[in-house]
Amino acid sequence: MFGCCADDECVVPSESESFPALLPATDQWEVTVVKEGAQNRLGLGTSTQKDGPYLKVLVVKGDGLIASWNAQNPTKEVKIDDRIVEINGQSGGHELLYQLIQDDDELTLTMERST
C-alpha cells in the first residue's frame, strides 16, 4: 500500500482497475496552500493507478486546506475527479506526489480538469 498525506484517505485500485494514464486536459490551474499549525492537512481523499502520473480527487472534505482554498477561490475550486498533476513544479509518479505533500509546508498544486 502506498503512503498518504497524514490521515487523509487514499485508495490504490487493484491492478485490474485502472484510470487512463493521460486524459485530455481542458482546464489547468494552480492551487497554493500553506500548512500552518492545526491547519496542516489538505483534506482530500485521492486515488491513483499503479504507475499513474497524477492523483485523482475522490473526496473534498469539509475541513482542511483545500476546503479553505475553495471558499476563498470559488472560480478555481478543487472538485471530485480533478487531477493533481504537479506539486511545486515536480511531476512524476504518485509516490513522488504523495511524498511532496507529506514533506513540504508550502504546496503549489497544478490541477487539471476534463469537461
Side-chain angles (χ1 to χ4, degrees), residues 46-106:
T46 60
S47 176
T48 186
Q49 66 184 44
K50 185 175 180 179
D51 297 320
Y54 59 83
L55 306 178
K56 182 178 178 180
V57 176
L58 298 178
V59 176
V60 180
K61 298 178 182 180
D63 59 353
L65 295 169
I66 297 300
S68 296
W69 165 270
N70 284 350
Q72 296 170 10
N73 300 278
T75 62
K76 295 182 179 183
E77 185 177 19
V78 175
K79 299 178 182 181
I80 293 172
D81 292 330
D82 289 346
R83 298 176 301 279
I84 302 170
V85 296
E86 283 185 4
I87 298 176
N88 295 342
Q90 297 185 55
S91 60
H94 60 274
E95 291 177 345
L96 170 66
L97 298 177
Y98 283 135
Q99 192 66 50
L100 291 167
I101 290 169
Q102 183 176 354
D103 293 347
D104 294 356
D105 288 333
E106 184 169 336

